[in-house]
Amino acid sequence: MSLHNSIKMKQEISVTIDGKVYQSTFGKTILEIARENNIYIPTMCYLTKVKPIASCRMCIVNVEGVEGAILSCQEKATDGAVITTQNHTLNKERQNIMKLYNVNHPLECGVCDKSGECDLQNKTMEFNVATQPFTVREQSRPVKKWGYVSYDPALCIMCEKCVRVSTEITGDEALSIKVGGYASEIINLKQSNNYSSLGAAAAVCPVGALVDTKFKYTSNAWELEKIPSSCPHCGSGCQMYYEVKHDIIYRVTNNAEFTTLCGAGRYGFDYANKNVSKNQKAFTQAVEAIKNAQSILFAPQITNEEALILQKIKEKTGAKLICGEAKAYQNFMQAYSEITGKQLYSGSIENISKSKVIIILGTRINNDAPIVKYHINMASKWHSARVAYMHPLEDIEMKNIVTQFIKYEPQSEEGVVALLVSMLLHEVEIPNYVKTFLDDLDIGYLSAETNVGEEELETLRKSMMKKESKSLIIGSDLYAHPRAKEIAKILALVEKYTDFNVVCIPPAGNAMGVSLICDLDDEASGNSVGYNVEADFVLSALNDSKKDNHYLDMPALNQQEGTLTTNDRRVVPINVSQPYGGYVLNDIANALGIEARYTIEYTKSLPKERGFQSIEFDALPDYFDRLGEAYRGYHLKECNVSIYEKLEEVATLDGFDGAVLYHCNPVEQFSAFTNVGEALHQEAFLLGSPQFAVATKLNDGDSISYTIDNVKFKRMFKIDTSLKGTIALNPTYDMGLSTPLVSSYRFSRVEIQKTGSNDE
Amino acid sequence: MSLEQFKNRNVGTQRYTMLDLGKDPQTPWCKVRQVIRRTFKGDLLVGLWVTMREMFNALFRGNMATLKYPYEKLPISPRYRAIHDMLRLLESGHYRCIGCGLCEKICISNCITMDTRYDENQRKEVSEYTINFGRCIFCGYCAEVCPELAIVHGARYENASEQRASFSLFEDMLTPIDKLNLQKEYPGFGAVSPDADENIKQTPLAY
């Protein structure tokens, strides 16, 4: 795997392993070369996705001319090395290591969750350790419950994988090692935060020490059927398995050796629309409603195929298709592509982790796309990347990786983008129209209005000097901005004229797929039908919003087959993990004369002019090879679009003053669907800093109400001392069918009404 | 081998002994005579004698040969495989089952279903355990695989029920707590061998 070695030297070397000569490139470790060539070297602590841990010493090999054994996981192979991976001494050593791992290891495989998929079990058998020949006096080591995960120190073999994942990958930095010889154990330094990202640390535990609290002792691993799928919650579409028994999802796992799943993906699986049967009457009503609908509203949590069905319905009935967030993204990318000439951005998520400079703009990235944050964290930990975080709100969770926080005023993004781009294009060869545009910028004015100091950008520029591989991450604050198109065009210059790895994070669910497939409209009018959205007639998979009339059940995304489009520009398959007995969107389409037997028949007819390929659903691959290369679905083809190179002058900046709300969900929440399940369900609060409380004359615990995008919010206000300034975080995940309606610019000034106070 | 040889069923040496059965009656009169002779011969009483002797023994000597089922039952082999019993630990009275799921896994007729959970004492607790006796074939694999001697076969062989598939719950099969002193170890499949004590090995944990 090349994750750890972005070393430029691609010098060809040849090494001899167990008598055979293999070609490779310099920079790879002995273990990597062995695995590439299908040679088995046993390991206990090695985890491909992090840097070598080197705590187990199982991977020892002999190299000719070197005395003693060396660790193949961290030693780079040199040209002409002669390596032996198996001999009597090495095996004896490995067997002794296994004997030591088994010191006092509780003989409770019968009840242990890990039994059946346990590395310790497998290797103990493999090295023929039939007894526990050594022992020490056991100490009292109680099980610790850390919220989403629990830790049993008695079972822990101190391989450190979890600690590495927590620091190198997820970046919560909660786990650490308490060193103390035999009394060593893993400790949770940030127990009060209850990070759901610790699930990723539990996923790599080779024994049953760190396990999901909810799953603990509920089922044996071998009883569960693994159903491969992709996580539908955010735009990342991470690989995952639903583990199912008796039609109940017990847990979600992933290929933790190579990939990572965030808390929402791992714990937000229980959102299926259960116990649905075919309601003929409601179905007939639904077909009638769609026939007569002037607008069809839908949430971006749908598959590509469903999006195509909606598009076909639109072509048939002439109804408007409304999906606020996807529409904003579509407009943004359209304007973006007018400069770049390509339909989508060219950056990739994986390249973020290889970057040495990362600029994040217009997103609270830890909440909006945890997986992207993980990649930023990897870059920070592996390459000490400079991370510039540009946002009106500081994020305490990003503190340990952000090297420079650049604060700007809400709604002044156009100015910020102009300033940033003029800095990035400094000393870059650019055509005249860009030059004129940049020369015309009134830097002083922009700087004053946006609150971004020239010296801040100068510091950023200096820190970027002589650094290769840079990334720019653009987030959803910009998509629904009133001047989104102009912003997109300015940002597109970065992709076109610099070597930045630019990624425009899709705002929600399958927004990218929807924006590519559907011809979306701006405003709803007349009779409306909503798919997972509040409307005159509702088709919904949200089982907490059941109504008697004007309502038809729909399958949730874990009850359907289909594909999703991810922020890595990949089309990945999802599979059925839960039974569903009702009608699906395809049935309605069939009733309208748009014939297809199954929804997945549309997989091969996704629009080719948008980069989709004509591949049957059943032919989509979904696996990782031995080296961790993902074979999941296919990559969208690059599509060229017509170029329209014209930049508009930066408009007068109209900053927000006073109390402002920012739509932002907690880390584990993306939509109404993540909130349905029991594991992640949580009450939503308006979170504001003490300053915000003063500015709005609110007290901690006050009941308040306000209206945004015609959606009435009623909730409690809470003071969060980790926040600063007068911007409060307003979550939208708890609004059920109304959640997708909140799709305007993420900062908003609202009238807050106090409906009750704490002391009443 | 040729077909003729193959068809020859007269294998081996022919050494039949013919019985002297006399001649069959030929004329109708002979047949009548045979019937009369057989009817009035005392052979009937020879047969009845056995019955009368047993009747006498049963009535006057208290030597009854039949059982009044279902009021009386024959003792059966301790290794008989009938409805399962769930045993308890003799010392604590806690049920022995640790919820490992091996019986569920090994069951060839898929009749065992169990659910487990994490209980307050940080132990794996069996929250649901049923055996579908409509499916169970009483093969004894579950008792054999059980690492704790928790599930064994008992002697309850009457499993007629109103429903074809009758379920049995964990509690039904569990030794009643007040009858714990009557609980017997099962000597059948999966039980400890009589020389188990000699074969036991101390782990280093027994310091």
Side-chain angles (χ1 to χ4, degrees):
Chain A
M1 266 292 293
S2 56
L3 263 182
H4 322 303
N5 338 281
S6 49
I7 293 178
K8 289 133 264 163
M9 284 178 279
K10 283 278 179 266
Q11 193 194 332
E12 289 289 318
I13 57 166
S14 70
V15 292
T16 312
I17 304 177
D18 292 342
K20 273 190 184 166
V21 183
Y22 298 100
Q23 303 297 325
S24 188
T25 48
F26 180 76
K28 286 185 179 163
T29 62
I30 297 171
L31 183 66
E32 278 165 357
I33 297 174
R35 289 204 172 169
E36 264 172 34
N37 295 299
N38 213 1
I39 297 165
Y40 174 64
I41 299 176
T43 56
M44 279 299 284
C45 73
Y46 187 75
L47 184 63
T48 315
K49 67 181 175 186
V50 299
K51 291 205 161 179
I53 300 167
S55 72
C56 74
R57 312 191 79 81
M58 287 288 281
C59 65
I60 45 171
V61 293
N62 285 135
V63 178
E64 226 175 69
V66 182
E67 209 172 308
I70 63 162
L71 302 183
S72 63
C73 69
Q74 60 175 15
E75 218 61 53
K76 293 197 173 79
T78 48
D79 195 22
V82 180
I83 299 154
T84 317
T85 66
Q86 306 280 352
N87 63 34
H88 183 70
T89 345
L90 288 175
N91 267 342
K92 207 83 209 149
E93 290 290 334
R94 287 172 185 154
Q95 194 183 36
N96 285 335
I97 292 167
M98 287 323 296
K99 282 180 186 166
L100 291 175
Y101 268 134
N102 280 309
V103 169
N104 283 31
H105 193 88
L107 296 175
E108 56 174 57
C109 297
V111 292
C112 184
D113 275 333
K114 205 71 185 179
S115 181
E117 53 174 23
C118 172
D119 263 6
L120 187 70
Q121 234 176 17
N122 293 346
K123 293 277 181 328
T124 302
M125 294 290 164
E126 186 183 329
F127 290 97
N128 219 355
V129 181
T131 52
Q132 291 180 303
F134 310 113
T135 185
V136 290
R137 183 162 288 281
E138 188 53 81
Q139 44 208 336
S140 166
R141 300 210 257 192
V143 176
K144 289 168 189 160
K145 275 196 178 181
W146 293 337
Y148 288 104
V149 297
S150 22
Y151 174 64
D152 187 345
L155 292 167
C156 183
I157 59 166
M158 298 305 291
C159 67
E160 298 181 38
K161 280 186 191 178
C162 55
V163 178
R164 291 305 190 88
V165 167
S166 160
T167 47
E168 283 181 31
I169 309 278
T170 64
D172 51 46
E173 296 179 12
L175 301 185
S176 176
I177 292 173
K178 195 179 98 190
V179 184
Y182 182 66
S184 304
E185 60 177 38
I186 307 292
I187 48 172
N188 187 347
L189 300 170
K190 299 180 181 173
Q191 219 165 311
S192 56
N193 290 24
N194 187 17
Y195 286 115
S196 58
S197 53
L198 286 181
V204 298
C205 184
V207 290
L210 200 59
V211 293
D212 291 346
T213 310
K214 274 252 152 92
F215 175 72
K216 189 164 191 178
Y217 289 172
T218 53
S219 178
N220 288 314
W222 64 77
E223 297 281 342
L224 300 167
E225 186 197 352
K226 281 188 176 198
I227 298 174
S229 195
S230 308
C231 173
H233 292 315
C234 81
S236 297
C238 301
Q239 182 271 339
M240 65 192 263
Y241 299 107
Y242 294 108
E243 301 218 347
V244 179
K245 181 169 83 172
H246 308 315
D247 285 339
I248 296 168
I249 306 178
Y250 275 75
R251 62 171 173 180
V252 162
T253 54
N254 67 330
N255 195 328
E257 186 71 25
F258 308 121
T259 67
T260 311
L261 204 54
C262 75
R266 193 172 297 281
Y267 301 113
F269 54 80
D270 189 18
Y271 57 88
N273 195 4
K274 287 169 196 147
N275 305 325
V276 177
S277 54
K278 294 201 168 177
N279 183 345
Q280 185 77 45
K281 203 176 128 216
F283 178 71
T284 330
Q285 280 177 353
V287 173
E288 274 311 303
I290 289 219
K291 261 186 202 162
N292 302 326
Q294 272 145 315
S295 336
I296 299 172
L297 289 77
F298 63 102
Q301 283 80 26
I302 66 172
T303 62
N304 293 330
E305 287 73 15
E306 286 181 299
L308 185 61
I309 292 176
L310 288 176
Q311 175 64 19
K312 282 183 189 281
I313 291 176
K314 173 182 176 157
E315 282 159 18
K316 182 130 190 152
T317 68
K320 288 181 175 175
L321 283 185
I322 314 290
C323 182
E325 283 170 301
K327 175 66 181 168
Y329 189 65
Q330 193 176 44
N331 287 346
F332 186 89
M333 289 317 295
Q334 220 156 20
Y336 189 89
S337 59
E338 279 176 15
I339 298 290
T340 59
K342 284 172 198 143
Q343 178 185 248
L344 285 167
Y345 52 83
S346 61
S348 79
I349 303 297
E350 206 193 323
N351 281 340
I352 296 175
S353 64
K354 294 176 186 161
S355 302
K356 303 215 168 50
V357 173
I358 298 171
I359 301 171
I360 309 158
L361 176 66
T363 167
R364 198 173 166 88
I365 193 75
N366 187 43
N367 301 58
D368 294 351
I371 293 297
V372 178
K373 184 244 171 170
Y374 296 171
H375 282 83
I376 299 168
N377 180 57
M378 292 177 216
S380 166
K381 297 290 150 61
W382 294 339
H383 311 300
S384 324
R386 304 276 310 178
V387 180
Y389 183 60
M390 303 178 77
H391 202 254
L393 268 166
E394 199 168 359
D395 187 351
I396 197 164
E397 292 297 330
M398 297 288 287
K399 228 174 172 178
N400 44 18
I401 46 175
V402 168
T403 52
Q404 190 183 5
F405 171 59
I406 300 175
K407 186 182 161 134
Y408 59 82
E409 291 298 317
Q411 213 170 10
S412 71
E413 279 91 344
E414 195 184 3
V416 177
V417 165
L419 285 172
L420 178 70
V421 171
S422 89
M423 184 271 283
L424 294 177
L425 294 185
H426 191 69
E427 292 171 6
V428 175
E429 222 167 276
I430 40 174
N432 275 335
Y433 79 100
V434 184
K435 212 169 173 58
T436 336
F437 169 77
L438 292 179
D439 288 345
D440 286 352
L441 291 176
D442 183 351
I443 303 288
Y445 167 75
L446 293 179
S447 214
E449 286 298 317
T450 56
N451 226 347
V452 177
E454 281 173 72
E455 65 291 343
E456 285 181 279
L457 288 173
E458 189 54 28
T459 320
L460 177 59
R461 196 180 68 83
K462 277 189 186 148
S463 71
M464 280 168 45
M465 277 200 294
K466 290 182 191 160
K467 291 262 169 71
E468 278 170 35
S469 48
K470 292 169 269 194
S471 285
L472 173 63
I473 298 162
I474 298 163
S476 53
D477 292 8
L478 306 178
Y479 308 148
H481 192 280
R483 303 268 299 166
K485 287 190 179 178
E486 288 70 29
I487 293 174
K489 285 190 162 189
I490 304 171
L491 282 170
L493 297 172
V494 179
E495 177 169 332
K496 191 152 189 190
Y497 298 110
T498 69
D499 53 357
F500 264 82
N501 171 56
V502 186
V503 176
C504 305
I505 313 285
N510 193 18
M512 184 189 271
V514 171
S515 73
L516 291 175
I517 294 161
C518 295
D519 183 9
L520 297 166
D521 297 279
D522 288 314
E523 289 274 318
S525 63
N527 290 338
S528 61
V529 171
Y531 184 16
N532 292 326
V533 183
E534 191 63 61
D536 297 337
F537 191 96
V538 176
L539 312 170
S540 171
L542 280 169
N543 50 16
D544 68 339
S545 55
K546 282 206 165 117
K547 300 197 287 185
D548 293 335
N549 269 327
H550 305 294
Y551 179 89
L552 180 68
D553 276 302
M554 281 283 133
L557 281 178
N558 57 7
Q559 296 170 300
Q560 301 191 45
E561 286 180 315
T563 57
L564 300 172
T565 314
T566 75
N567 55 17
D568 231 4
R569 287 166 289 129
R570 217 184 247 278
V571 178
V572 295
I574 59 169
N575 281 306
V576 178
S577 68
Q578 294 274 273
Y580 176 74
Y583 290 100
V584 299
L585 194 62
N586 188 39
D587 295 328
I588 298 178
N590 281 339
L592 292 170
I594 303 161
E595 300 277 345
R597 185 142 180 237
Y598 300 111
T599 311
I600 50 164
E601 280 181 18
Y602 289 109
T603 309
K604 60 177 188 301
S605 43
L606 291 170
K608 269 153 228 71
E609 66 279 9
R610 294 311 197 122
F612 290 96
Q613 294 178 29
S614 177
I615 301 178
E616 291 273 1
F617 177 80
D618 292 327
L620 294 175
D622 193 3
Y623 67 94
F624 288 84
D625 71 3
R626 207 171 49 240
L627 302 173
E629 193 66 44
Y631 294 88
R632 302 180 53 221
Y634 58 83
H635 275 292
L636 287 174
K637 273 194 191 137
E638 209 168 74
C639 290
N640 292 331
V641 295
S642 55
I643 293 178
Y644 181 70
E645 290 180 322
K646 192 167 177 286
L647 293 168
E648 216 176 284
E649 240 178 80
V650 175
T652 320
L653 296 177
D654 182 20
F656 278 6
D657 293 323
V660 173
L661 299 195
Y662 178 58
H663 307 318
C664 178
N665 290 323
V667 184
E668 303 87 25
Q669 300 288 356
F670 288 104
S671 64
F673 288 101
T674 47
N675 196 35
V676 174
E678 190 196 334
L680 294 181
H681 181 78
Q682 49 182 288
E683 209 186 324
F685 300 105
L686 180 71
L687 288 177
S689 64
Q691 289 103 301
F692 181 87
V694 172
T696 52
K697 300 193 181 76
L698 290 173
N699 292 319
D700 191 68
D702 282 352
S703 312
I704 48 172
S705 78
Y706 44 89
T707 309
I708 302 168
D709 293 351
N710 293 325
V711 177
K712 188 158 186 188
F713 289 83
K714 271 187 196 168
R715 55 186 43 157
M716 202 186 264
F717 173 70
K718 280 222 161 173
I719 290 180
D720 184 343
T721 46
S722 70
L723 294 172
K724 282 179 203 155
T726 53
I727 302 172
L729 298 178
N730 175 41
T732 57
Y733 69 90
D734 63 322
M735 301 306 289
L737 291 173
S738 300
T739 299
L741 292 174
V742 187
S743 59
S744 61
Y745 179 54
R746 283 177 74 180
F747 292 94
S748 50
R749 258 178 306 188
V750 292
E751 195 101 327
I752 297 176
Q753 270 162 354
K754 208 163 154 179
T755 54
S757 70
N758 192 15
D759 37 62
E760 264 173 31
Chain B
M1 194 185 271
S2 75
L3 192 62
E4 276 69 37
Q5 277 175 297
F6 190 69
K7 280 184 170 174
N8 176 22
R9 293 192 174 81
N10 290 329
V11 281
T13 327
Q14 312 293 312
R15 275 185 295 170
Y16 298 119
T17 311
M18 305 307 284
L19 292 180
D20 182 18
L21 293 173
K23 277 179 184 169
D24 284 346
Q26 298 298 317
T27 60
W29 174 239
C30 290
K31 283 180 186 170
V32 172
R33 254 186 22 208
Q34 190 185 38
V35 168
I36 291 168
R37 194 162 61 234
R38 285 184 179 179
T39 306
F40 294 103
K41 213 172 177 185
D43 283 0
L44 179 66
L45 295 176
V46 175
L48 275 175
W49 165 241
V50 177
T51 315
M52 286 194 293
R53 190 184 63 209
E54 290 305 315
M55 189 173 77
F56 183 80
N57 283 348
L59 291 177
F60 304 109
R61 290 189 178 161
N63 228 350
M64 191 67 138
T66 55
L67 282 174
K68 289 180 188 161
Y69 183 85
Y71 307 107
E72 292 174 348
K73 284 172 195 171
L74 277 174
I76 57 168
S77 157
R79 299 177 65 159
Y80 191 79
R81 298 196 300 266
I83 297 287
H84 308 67
D85 279 338
M86 287 287 172
L87 302 188
R88 289 180 187 272
L89 292 169
L90 295 174
E91 300 87 348
S92 65
H94 193 278
Y95 57 77
R96 291 182 184 178
C97 179
I98 55 166
C100 70
L102 289 180
C103 49
E104 185 185 16
K105 183 71 189 164
I106 204 166
C107 181
I108 50 172
S109 51
N110 280 341
C111 65
I112 301 181
T113 313
M114 65 191 295
D115 270 331
T116 52
R117 66 180 194 95
Y118 188 60
D119 78 355
E120 300 74 36
N121 310 319
Q122 302 185 339
R123 288 178 61 102
K124 195 174 190 175
E125 186 193 51
V126 183
S127 51
E128 202 82 44
Y129 193 104
T130 60
I131 300 180
N132 178 346
F133 285 114
R135 294 184 66 98
C136 182
I137 58 162
F138 302 95
C139 63
Y141 280 5
C142 48
E144 187 181 356
V145 80
C146 181
E148 299 292 314
L149 301 177
I151 183 168
V152 298
H153 279 292
R156 254 176 65 209
Y157 49 79
E158 295 119 326
N159 38 14
S161 73
E162 287 168 356
Q163 287 183 357
R164 187 157 172 267
S166 192
F167 295 86
S168 210
L169 302 175
F170 192 66
E171 294 73 33
D172 305 335
M173 295 180 277
L174 196 60
T175 314
I177 191 76
D178 51 327
K179 291 190 180 143
L180 185 59
N181 54 344
L182 300 177
Q183 179 175 291
K184 291 229 168 59
E185 286 305 321
Y186 173 67
F189 262 175
V192 257
S193 56
D195 59 346
D197 283 347
E198 284 103 73
N199 290 333
I200 209 156
K201 259 189 229 160
Q202 276 202 329
T203 70
L205 293 180
Y207 37 74

